[in-house]
Amino acid sequence: MSTDNDNRQVETTIMELLAPYNKQGVALAPDTDIAADLNIDSADVLNFVMEVEDAFDIDIPVNDLSDVRTVADLVALVQSRIGSA
Amino acid sequence: MPDLLKKYHKLKQRHDALVQLGTDAVQLVNEQLLSPTRAIINGRETVLAGTNNYLGLTFEPECIEAGRKALEEYGTGTTGSRIANGTYALHVALEQALAEFMGRQHCMVFSTGFQANLGMIAGLAGPKDTIFIDMDSHASIFDGCRLSGATVVLFRHNDVEHLRRRLKRHDAGEGGRLVIVEGLYSMLGDTAPLREIAALKQEFDFQLLVDEAHSFGVLGKHGRGLAEQEDVEQAVDFVVGTFSKSLGGIGGYAVSDHPDFDVLRYASRPYMFTAAPSPASMATTLCILRQIARRPQLRKKLWDNAALLHNGLKERGFELGHEAVSPVVAVICPTQEYAVAMWNALLQHGVYVNLALPPGTPKKLALLRCSVSAAHTAEEIETVLQAFVKARDAVATMQV
């Protein structure tokens, strides 16, 4: 089971990785919609996800991304991938 | 209920804005074809420098005659799929000739190159399997992966170490693993580091598929593609290719030495449930394949022309997408607007190239993508070079 502390750590890292893509300076929160709120195109989403994969040393299959909209969704996905690694 | 096409409003707005700047790049019409390298576009004779017609064989009299003969003998279409009434002697002959040319045991012909990737990838991989693909892969590879239901893992373009880390991390479980790369990447003209990727097979268990769509007829001593050039054909389990580039037709193929390869004929839906390619198409492709086999000098001419265009553009100060000479020569533009203005100016100066805009381009570059043909004369290459300079001068006064 992941603890709140683990979640916060994952969330902080993801927010840090997301910052360079946040060109319009939107305030990032767990419910931020990564593609829509930050106006990131599909190519940058893939680049960003690859950075997340490298940071946590996990694979995030493209298939799983269809369920990810918000930062919180991605945190949960990363947690589950860390758990299964 | 929202209108189903409403979701494309943003895309449409973007397209409409580009059309405001001149000709509609995605609905350009070749009013008349004069040769493999010339057409009438917007009423003007235009040098074609973006056709993927690498060996320039689309007007070979012998092959046009072969197509005409097939039309007369077999009719206009097959009206059925390969697994029903659609297999003609011509399909079998082409499959045998391609297998022989590629030095493989088996060959399957598909109705388009796109379908060859769909059919092979979705035929090979299933929901329990994992596919590793280069992130700059062609749309047909992405869509084939999606259709397969397999787990799809991307690696950075041509980054062998990145792929290695992914393979190392991955627990295959009970599923198989398929790695897919392209021989020659169509946007920038760079090639896959295939020798290093093939060497990963000594460390990890996986099957390897190489899409030689742009490299067939172009690379390798006999024109079999990148795997031949890099001397790693033994490590490549499946090769996919197309008829619509060097082979000057429409259709696709896959070859392999896998003993069970033919099972895909009744397992791969994009092969099974579509009409078999037309007789004329099979006949012209077979004829052009034979021309490629007996005229290696075409490849030399292609590479000489590629060097002329690549070096000529470089000398004139254009930034290119790939350092080495390649039959694909991509000019990098600072902005999308600049690329569109340049593309229109080139057309006005009688030269057609491909306009390639992000997000569908590597590193989101705005590109003027040229492809060279063995059929280009030195004068035509010079026309292209001069048009690039004139277009640049014209665009400089437009402040885009």
Side-chain angles (χ1 to χ4, degrees):
Chain A
M1 265 317 270
S2 59
T3 63
D4 284 352
N5 200 20
D6 291 337
N7 264 339
R8 266 201 301 279
Q9 221 162 12
V10 169
E11 189 181 288
T12 306
T13 306
I14 286 177
M15 298 279 205
E16 281 167 13
L17 293 171
L18 195 52
Y21 295 94
N22 182 12
K23 301 227 167 75
Q24 290 154 345
V26 175
L28 295 177
D31 64 351
T32 302
D33 186 314
I34 296 169
D37 292 347
L38 306 186
N39 203 16
I40 302 180
D41 63 38
S42 53
D44 268 346
V45 167
L46 292 182
N47 280 319
F48 163 60
V49 168
M50 281 203 180
E51 287 174 30
V52 173
E53 287 176 303
D54 288 345
F56 293 101
D57 197 26
I58 53 167
D59 287 326
I60 300 177
V62 183
N63 325 48
D64 292 349
L65 288 178
S66 52
D67 297 331
V68 173
R69 299 203 67 80
T70 65
V71 170
D73 293 339
L74 186 58
V75 170
L77 177 59
V78 167
Q79 284 290 14
S80 76
R81 300 300 298 183
I82 293 172
S84 67
Chain B
M1 187 195 85
D3 176 41
L4 291 170
L5 294 182
K6 198 175 167 209
K7 56 180 163 293
Y8 300 119
H9 270 194
K10 239 171 131 178
L11 182 66
K12 189 170 177 299
Q13 275 173 357
R14 191 167 160 249
H15 173 256
D16 291 347
L18 293 179
V19 175
Q20 292 297 313
L21 300 168
T23 300
D24 184 349
V26 295
Q27 296 190 66
L28 182 95
V29 178
N30 293 279
E31 290 135 21
Q32 199 187 332
L33 260 291
L34 306 173
S35 77
T37 56
R38 280 173 188 269
I40 305 288
I41 297 173
N42 292 340
R44 184 186 294 115
E45 184 165 343
T46 303
V47 173
L48 303 173
T51 60
N52 302 324
N53 193 353
Y54 297 116
L55 300 180
L57 292 170
T58 43
F59 279 80
E60 276 305 298
E62 183 190 327
C63 300
I64 289 173
E65 186 48 40
R68 187 178 289 138
K69 191 162 170 271
L71 270 170
E72 283 166 6
E73 289 179 8
Y74 292 90
T76 52
T78 58
T79 71
S81 70
R82 293 293 304 275
I83 56 166
N85 60 300
T87 297
Y88 293 7
L90 284 171
H91 298 95
V92 178
L94 179 57
E95 286 177 343
Q96 285 171 350
L98 266 168
E100 194 183 320
F101 182 88
M102 296 296 284
R104 300 281 183 166
Q105 296 289 314
H106 309 281
C107 174
M108 273 168 79
V109 159
F110 294 82
S111 300
T112 69
F114 197 103
Q115 269 173 296
N117 266 334
L118 287 188
M120 283 304 295
I121 298 168
L124 289 168
K128 285 183 181 162
D129 305 316
T130 304
I131 311 175
F132 299 80
I133 62 169
D134 187 293
M135 70 179 298
D136 285 356
S137 294
H138 189 260
S140 58
I141 294 175
F142 273 93
D143 286 1
C145 289
R146 203 185 318 192
L147 190 63
S148 74
T151 299
V152 181
V153 177
L154 301 183
F155 58 92
R156 288 202 176 88
H157 178 55
N158 277 352
D159 189 335
V160 181
E161 185 47 35
H162 208 226
L163 170 61
R164 206 183 77 82
R165 280 211 304 274
R166 274 154 169 62
L167 286 165
K168 195 172 177 189
R169 222 160 35 206
H170 179 255
D171 173 15
E174 53 186 297
R177 301 201 285 198
L178 178 65
V179 172
I180 303 177
V181 294
E182 296 179 37
L184 198 151
Y185 285 87
S186 66
M187 282 293 125
L188 299 181
D190 52 337
T191 53
L194 196 54
R195 212 173 293 182
E196 290 93 323
I197 289 170
L200 289 175
K201 281 188 141 187
Q202 290 159 14
E203 232 178 305
F204 306 100
D205 204 12
F206 62 88
Q207 286 171 296
L208 178 60
L209 184 153
V210 179
D211 179 350
E212 301 267 21
H214 288 266
S215 35
F216 178 92
V218 168
L219 296 176
K221 189 171 173 231
H222 301 90
R224 294 201 294 262
L226 182 66
E228 184 191 18
Q229 179 183 282
E230 297 301 308
D231 197 18
V232 290
E233 286 176 291
Q234 287 295 320
V236 178
D237 301 276
F238 308 98
V239 177
V240 173
T242 180
F243 300 156
S244 57
K245 294 171 176 69
S246 285
L247 286 162
I250 179 151
Y253 68 88
V255 295
S256 176
D257 286 325
H258 196 295
D260 294 333
F261 185 72
D262 278 337
V263 74
L264 293 173
R265 290 190 194 272
Y266 41 92
S268 168
R269 293 161 65 89
Y271 173 85
M272 296 160 69
F273 297 107
T274 191
S278 75
S281 193
M282 296 298 91
T284 59
T285 304
L286 185 56
C287 179
I288 291 181
L289 177 66
R290 286 177 179 145
Q291 294 252 352
I292 292 173
R294 67 171 188 254
R295 295 170 66 188
Q297 66 272 25
L298 286 172
R299 207 154 28 257
K300 183 177 181 309
K301 183 78 196 317
L302 167 69
W303 282 94
D304 288 349
N305 280 345
L308 270 183
L309 186 64
H310 178 99
N311 296 332
L313 284 168
K314 225 166 149 182
E315 282 159 15
R316 285 161 180 80
F318 289 96
E319 190 190 349
L320 303 183
H322 187 41
E323 264 307 300
V325 170
S326 168
V328 174
V329 186
V331 172
I332 298 175
C333 297
T335 63
Q336 289 192 47
E337 291 73 18
Y338 185 90
V340 174
M342 274 292 285
W343 182 82
N344 276 290
L346 281 167
L347 210 52
Q348 279 156 17
H349 286 99
V351 169
Y352 170 78
V353 301
N354 303 128
L355 175 64
L357 299 177
T361 50
K363 298 179 216 146
K364 296 208 289 175
L365 293 166
L367 301 172
L368 295 165
R369 175 196 179 269
C370 310
S371 57
V372 182
S373 173
H376 280 129
T377 61
E379 293 73 34
E380 284 171 336
I381 302 274
E382 186 57 34
T383 301
V384 176
L385 291 171
Q386 284 181 13
F388 262 95
V389 172
K390 285 180 201 158
R392 180 171 58 193
D393 292 346
V395 172
T397 64
M398 291 162 61
Q399 299 183 343
V400 286

